[in-house]
Amino acid sequence: MKIHKSEEWKNLLTSEQYRVLVEKGTEKPFTGEYDKHFEEGAYVCGACGTKLFESGNKFDSGCGWPSFDSAIPGSVEFNNDDALGMRRTEVTCANCEGHLGHVFPDGPKDTTGQRFCINSVSLDFKKGQ
């Protein structure tokens, strides 16, 4: 069952989380907490706590945002994003519809070939999960 919140998110999230997760913003590259983070565990939605990515699927793409080659099946949804004069695929949390980032077809060729480029502020990390 999906979580639907509107103004309530303003009271539950930091202003930067709200800007990214709800208003579909993007954090500055190389500034996020999880860009160079490689502990074992799981990355969950910063808004609702849904488990999204396993640490084993994270890689250093050098793009300035946390990158994963795949998401946990059923945890994310994909939406066309034609903003900024380009066609991209937006990635949102399947549970609360929070904006996470985008997925690109330039990931590791030895795995999925995908690069989930995700805002750190849209994530939380659960060690050892």
Side-chain angles (χ1 to χ4, degrees):
M1 183 170 178
K2 286 192 179 197
I3 295 173
H4 293 284
K5 297 180 181 178
S6 53
E7 289 299 309
E8 191 177 349
W9 285 125
K10 284 187 177 180
N11 298 323
L12 298 172
L13 304 172
T14 68
S15 60
E16 181 68 356
Q17 285 177 311
Y18 187 86
R19 187 182 72 77
V20 172
L21 284 157
V22 178
E23 296 177 338
K24 301 181 184 284
T26 301
E27 67 189 358
K28 292 181 181 176
F30 304 102
T31 63
E33 177 180 4
Y34 300 121
D35 179 30
K36 300 292 184 192
H37 181 264
F38 289 96
E39 287 186 62
E40 189 173 324
Y43 294 85
V44 302
C45 177
C48 71
T50 296
K51 193 172 173 181
L52 303 170
F53 302 99
E54 299 284 356
S55 59
N57 295 105
K58 190 170 187 303
F59 66 98
D60 185 2
S61 69
C63 71
W65 292 276
S67 297
F68 303 86
D69 64 9
S70 63
I72 294 170
S75 68
V76 300
E77 293 180 343
F78 304 97
N79 309 290
N80 288 332
D81 178 358
D82 295 324
L84 305 177
M86 63 182 101
R87 177 159 289 234
R88 301 180 293 175
T89 302
E90 177 193 25
V91 180
T92 59
C93 174
N95 191 42
C96 72
E97 299 176 342
H99 172 76
L100 303 172
H102 294 86
V103 63
F104 301 98
D106 61 1
K109 300 297 181 220
D110 60 336
T111 61
T112 65
Q114 295 183 312
R115 175 176 56 96
F116 286 78
C117 183
I118 306 298
N119 293 285
S120 284
V121 74
S122 67
L123 300 172
D124 195 8
F125 180 74
K126 301 297 180 187
K127 191 172 182 170
Q129 288 194 13

